[in-house]
Amino acid sequence: MDASLEKIADPTLAEMGRNLKEAMKMLEDSQRRTEEENGKKLIAEDIPGPLPGSGQDMVSILQLVQTLMHGEEEEEPQSARIQDIGEQGHMALLGHSLGAYISTLDKEKLRKLTTRILSDTTLWLCRIFRYENGCAYFHEEEREGLAKICRLAIHSRYEDFVVDGFNVLYKEKPVIYISAAARPGLGQYLCNQLGLPFPCLCRVPCNTMFGSQHQMDVAFLEKLIKEDIEAGRLPLVLVANAGTAAVGHTDKIGRLKELCEQYNIWLHVEGVNLATLALGYVSSSVLAATKCDSMTLTPGPWLGLPAVPNVTLYKHDDPALTLVAGLTSNKPSDKLRALPLWLSLQYLGLDGTVERIKHACQLSQRLQESLKKVNHIKILVEDELSSPVVVFRFVQEASGTGPVFKAVPGPSLAPAAVGRERHSCDALNRWLGEQLKQLVPASGLTVMDLEAEGVCVRFSPLMTAAVVGTRAEDVDQLVTCIQSKLPVLTCTLQLREEFKQEVEATAGLLYVDDPNWPGIGVVRYEHANDDKSSLKSDPEGEKIHAGLLKKLNELESDLAFKMGPEYKSMKSCIYIGMASDDIDVSELVETIAVTAREIEENSRLLENMTEVVRKGIQEAQVQLQKANEERLLEEGVLRQIPVVGSVLNWFSPVQASQKGRTFNLTAGSLESTEHTYVYKVQGTGVTPPPTPSGMRTKPRLPGHKPFKKSQRGSDAVSETSSVSHVEDLEKAEQLASGPEQSTPEAPGPEQAPGTCSPQEPEALPAGAQSLGVDCPQVEERESLR
């Protein structure tokens, strides 16, 4: 590139190209920031400061820009977006710098250059997208072009609008028709830009009986138009979709065009499917958009070009009205908006432009064909093979098989059950979308919530492939990841009902129905002081659940646990994540209940112990004070005087025992210390009960994780061992009742019936002696038998 720049006669242009190349190389090379440079960062780097007195060089300024762009923690997606700009992106960025330089030319040269740039770009775009004899308006805001088109339609239909203004609109109110599937906020934006009240906006519903649920209902639209005409309103503009913002559906543009010609309505088309007009094969529904009055294109994301304007192509014969509407301008700076796109299109060429759009469409078709073979995945745009948008979601029923879990018996599900299952699937699809975005970041997936279908995952390579660099291998990896996540999704759905039943059958546990949680379920432990009617936070319950969460995470199982507030209150709960097919739900619920109960008992024991100790100290103080008063009465007042008391004690010593108090933590009572001072030994007291420790879980084999269902082999081993143990007991009993066994005599006076004397080992059965067991164990086996 340096050799090419040397051929440029204008030194300013050559230097501009070199500076841009150096700047982009510095910004894209994220490895150049060393540890020393990181140490030089100011703590308050994001806080505005005064302008330094001395100027800085270009390298220092670009380093500051790089620091502000990436921050302290550089994220991979952001750096990838910058690195994937490529040479065509550099051309677009060069257009902005070049535009500032061109604006310094004299007026005549500037006028000729800007006219050439605008004419070339308009001609190229009209030929690429099959829009003959059209004009172009370049704008930054994507909706700005439609607002200018509506203004042009107002000036065309209301001849006296320039003179009378609002009075003309008041006599015959204009109506703008948009689809119910249009992008959110479009109607409000148009009314705000045009100064029209909201009643001038008519939202046309989509099909409810026949056709796609995201396509405009043409019959209902015609009915609305007739009603508006009869009411004295003027149908002005109809906004159709060639690829809705949500799922990429295309309206019946051909039928809408006929309706607009019949009632003299301006037809404007927008949508991502307009990009397919550049391909050799175009569907008839999208091809009909070439006959519309105007269309809005977004070549920036389609071609992966940064900072290029959006384009609105339109057809109109009156240049005065287009000038008044703001679609054309005499300012050279407005015409220079097309400069970045002019440079980028020349760099890509016609073949490069078509190839990028074709590549994106092939990616969507590849994913769509692959997902048709995957069970439990529903595609929302199956009837449009040429659509570059693929929207899919996980469903409970598999194609060709029965439902994942049994439905509620009866002719139809109750509304509450339907809503619960809808929220449950939405949570699982949201989890699936987030997982796929992390596993395959180059796919450019987005998670969205549709009113009719629920939460879905959208793959729109036309808007993302050129930016993130999506390839066919990424689509194959995406399908593989979807297939790997399906067993977890289906198993989680199956275990949810079992988990709910186990929790409801366990005392002390409350099942929390949280529709937004994608895991097995949510459970809350109800302690003794839990106020079930209150929705406020419970400090005691929060403490128990925090300890429970710590214990569960220490088990190192395959399940993920987290603690958070309940769905409809502020009480703490335990959230259990996704599960595989070998989870023992009964063991999981039992572990949660036992652990929570032990934590509560330990906490209550500590609280009771604190209260007992406090009362014991108070009682000990009272008893010691009473003992001091008794000692004063016994010794007399004279012995309390310092000098006299010493003389009396010398002549007549007092034999007073030391009386103190000791607190028995086990019994919770005060005891005298007289026994300790007399025998010089501290009493043991009552043996304390064993402290509950750990969780009473089932014994696990080495390497066997918690909550895993035991294998068949381990069950057989345990069963065999138990049978062999019973056989040993039976052999011991047979040996104990052998022929050499003499008839037992009546017990002596010092031997209780049913016991054996330890002084007579020969009285033990021979079989018992050979097995090394004593008499109580033999009796225990006889009772077991």
Side-chain angles (χ1 to χ4, degrees), residues 202-222:
C202 180
R203 189 174 296 273
V204 183
C206 296
N207 296 323
T208 55
M209 299 297 295
F210 305 99
S212 171
Q213 296 182 354
H214 299 273
Q215 286 181 340
M216 190 182 299
D217 192 340
V218 181
F220 196 85
L221 171 63
E222 186 175 5

Side-chain angles (χ1 to χ4, degrees), residues 427-718:
L428 293 177
N429 279 281
R430 190 176 293 107
W431 176 85
L432 175 62
E434 296 299 331
Q435 289 291 315
L436 295 177
K437 287 168 61 178
Q438 295 178 4
L439 296 175
V440 193
S443 61
L445 295 177
T446 56
V447 181
M448 58 182 181
D449 191 356
L450 301 179
E451 183 178 357
E453 289 81 6
V455 177
C456 302
V457 182
R458 178 176 60 189
F459 176 68
S460 182
L462 263 176
M463 304 299 292
T464 60
V467 177
V468 298
T470 310
R471 302 173 300 171
E473 293 79 5
D474 298 323
V475 175
D476 297 338
Q477 182 184 0
L478 179 62
V479 176
T480 304
C481 292
I482 293 175
Q483 293 175 341
S484 65
K485 297 298 179 182
L486 287 180
V488 179
L489 293 170
T490 54
C491 179
T492 301
L493 275 177
Q494 293 173 350
L495 293 178
R496 277 188 169 185
E497 188 64 26
E498 182 182 355
F499 177 78
K500 180 180 179 181
Q501 295 176 0
E502 289 287 344
V503 171
E504 291 177 348
T506 305
L509 296 183
L510 177 65
Y511 179 80
V512 180
D513 189 5
D514 191 344
N516 297 324
W517 178 246
I520 296 179
V522 186
V523 63
R524 179 162 63 88
Y525 177 73
E526 293 181 317
H527 56 89
N529 301 326
D530 190 5
D531 187 4
K532 300 180 181 180
S533 60
S534 176
L535 300 179
K536 298 181 180 179
S537 59
D538 183 13
E540 183 178 354
E542 184 176 354
K543 183 179 180 181
I544 295 176
H545 285 89
L548 176 60
L549 177 65
K550 182 179 178 181
K551 291 287 186 181
L552 293 175
N553 288 330
E554 290 176 354
L555 295 177
E556 297 181 355
S557 64
D558 291 337
L559 292 174
F561 301 94
K562 61 173 290 188
M563 188 182 75
E566 190 178 338
Y567 175 61
K568 295 182 179 180
S569 70
M570 298 301 294
K571 294 185 178 180
S572 299
C573 300
I574 296 297
Y575 290 79
I576 299 137
M578 310 293 287
S580 58
D581 56 352
D582 54 354
I583 294 298
D584 191 345
V585 178
S586 60
E587 181 185 354
L588 170 64
V589 176
E590 181 184 0
T591 303
I592 294 175
V594 171
T595 307
R597 195 176 297 113
E598 290 179 354
I599 294 174
E600 181 187 12
E601 292 175 356
N602 293 337
S603 176
R604 189 179 301 143
L605 177 63
L606 181 60
E607 293 177 358
N608 295 340
M609 186 67 66
T610 304
E611 183 66 20
V612 169
V613 171
R614 185 181 64 82
K615 292 182 179 180
I617 293 175
Q618 294 178 355
E619 184 180 355
Q621 291 177 348
V622 173
Q623 293 184 9
L624 290 176
Q625 184 177 0
K626 187 177 180 181
N628 289 332
E629 294 177 356
E630 293 177 355
R631 183 175 60 83
L632 290 176
L633 293 176
E634 292 178 359
E635 295 178 356
V637 180
L638 294 177
R639 291 184 182 273
Q640 309 305 321
I641 301 175
V643 178
V644 177
S646 300
V647 175
L648 289 177
N649 291 333
W650 185 74
F651 283 105
S652 177
V654 178
Q655 300 295 331
S657 61
Q658 297 180 355
K659 295 182 179 181
R661 297 294 184 271
T662 179
F663 185 74
N664 192 333
L665 293 176
T666 304
S669 61
L670 286 174
E671 299 177 358
S672 176
T673 58
E674 184 176 359
H675 181 274
T676 303
Y677 287 109
V678 171
Y679 298 101
K680 307 299 182 181
V681 176
Q682 187 171 359
T684 57
V686 184
T687 303
T691 304
S693 61
M695 292 173 290
R696 295 187 292 272
T697 58
K698 299 179 181 179
R700 297 191 300 270
L701 296 175
H704 189 71
K705 291 190 176 182
F707 315 131
K708 291 283 187 179
K709 290 183 179 179
S710 58
Q711 302 296 329
R712 188 68 181 173
S714 61
D715 295 341
V717 170
S718 61

